[in-house]
C-alpha cells in the first residue's frame, strides 16, 4: 500500500510540475520538448517500483482481494446459465421425441438440478397438453418412472 501511495504522490507532483512548466515556458517552440521530458519523468515514476523489484507485492495484494470476490459471482452466473441451457435442451429433445410419436402438446417446461459431481437430475417436468395422460406416460417411459410430471394449467406462471 505504501508503494501505491508513493506512486500517487509522484504522479501528483509531476502533474503540478507539468502545469508550472507550461506556465513559465518561453514560447511554443519548447512545448514539445518539455512535454516529452515530463512524460519520460512521469513514466519513470510509475516504473520505478518495477525497476526496484517491488511490483510483485502490489500485484499479489490486488489479485488476492479481487479474485475472491469475482469468482463467487462468476461461479453462480455460470451455474445458472448451465442449468437454463440444460433445461432448454432437455425440453427441446422431449419435444422432438413427442412430435415423432404424434403426441400433441402446447408447452414443456423442465426443471433440473446439477449436482456437484456434474450429474443431472430432472426434478420435474411441467407439460401443457390436451392429452396429458398420454404425454405423461410417454415421458415416464423415455426418462424414467421416478420423474415427476405435472400438468401445467392456464393460470400457472413459469417465472
Amino acid at each position: 500500500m505504501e508503494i501505491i501511495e508513493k506512486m500517487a504522490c509522484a504522479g501528483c507532483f509531476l502533474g503540478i510540475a507539468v502545469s508550472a512548466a507550461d506556465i513559465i515556458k518561453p514560447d511554443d517552440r519548447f512545448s514539445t520538448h518539455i512535454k516529452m521530458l515530463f512524460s519520460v519523468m512521469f513514466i519513470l515514476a510509475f516504473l520505478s517500483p518495477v525497476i526496484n523489484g517491488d511490483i510483485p507485492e502490489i500485484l499479489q495484494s490486488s489479485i488476492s482481494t479481487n479474485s475472491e470476490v469475482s469468482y463467487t459471482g462468476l461461479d453462480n452466473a455460470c451455474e445458472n446459465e448451465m442449468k437454463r441451457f440444460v433445461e432448454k435442451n432437455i425440453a427441446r429433445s422431449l419435444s422432438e421425441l413427442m412430435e415423432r410419436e404424434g403426441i400433441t402438446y402446447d408447452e414443456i417446461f423442465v426443471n433440473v438440478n446439477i449436482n456437484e459431481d456434474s450429474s443431472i437430475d430432472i426434478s420435474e417436468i411441467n407439460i401443457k397438453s390436451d392429452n396429458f395422460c398420454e404425454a405423461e406416460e410417454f415421458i415416464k417411459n423415455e426418462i424414467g418412472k421416478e420423474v415427476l410430471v405435472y400438468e401445467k394449467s392456464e393460470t400457472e406462471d413459469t417465472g
Side-chain angles (χ1 to χ4, degrees):
M1 194 60 144
E2 183 180 322
I3 295 168
I4 295 173
E5 288 175 6
K6 287 180 182 178
M7 289 172 64
C9 287
C12 290
F13 175 74
L14 286 173
I16 292 169
V18 167
S19 298
D22 198 32
I23 293 170
I24 62 171
K25 71 180 177 191
D27 63 30
D28 289 335
R29 289 184 294 166
F30 298 109
S31 66
T32 56
H33 299 297
I34 291 174
K35 284 183 183 178
M36 185 180 71
L37 178 68
F38 281 113
S39 295
V40 169
M41 289 174 52
F42 193 73
I43 290 171
L44 287 176
F46 283 101
L47 290 180
S48 63
V50 175
I51 294 168
N52 294 335
D54 294 333
I55 197 71
E57 179 184 321
I58 295 170
L59 290 177
Q60 200 64 0
S61 65
S62 66
I63 288 172
S64 65
T65 57
N66 291 339
S67 62
E68 292 173 10
V69 173
S70 64
Y71 284 141
T72 304
L74 185 62
D75 282 346
N76 290 339
C78 286
E79 286 175 13
N80 290 338
E81 190 61 31
M82 178 61 85
K83 182 180 176 189
R84 189 171 32 242
F85 175 76
V86 168
E87 289 173 345
K88 286 182 180 180
N89 195 18
I90 292 173
R92 185 179 38 101
S93 297
L94 276 173
S95 297
E96 291 172 2
L97 288 172
M98 290 175 65
E99 285 174 5
R100 269 191 245 144
E101 292 294 318
I103 300 172
T104 58
Y105 64 93
D106 294 324
E107 297 174 319
I108 297 176
F109 299 99
V110 178
N111 189 8
V112 300
N113 292 317
I114 301 177
N115 301 320
E116 288 189 20
D117 63 351
S118 297
S119 63
I120 299 171
D121 293 330
I122 300 174
S123 55
E124 66 182 49
I125 298 174
N126 291 307
I127 186 163
K128 183 178 175 185
S129 174
D130 292 335
N131 193 354
F132 174 74
C133 293
E134 182 184 9
E136 178 185 29
E137 182 181 335
F138 178 80
I139 290 171
K140 288 192 177 225
N141 286 336
E142 286 296 317
I143 295 178
K145 300 288 183 197
E146 65 277 354
V147 70
L148 300 174
V149 181
Y150 297 108
E151 185 171 12
K152 183 176 177 346
S153 66
E154 293 287 332
T155 59
E156 280 186 57
D157 185 16
T158 60

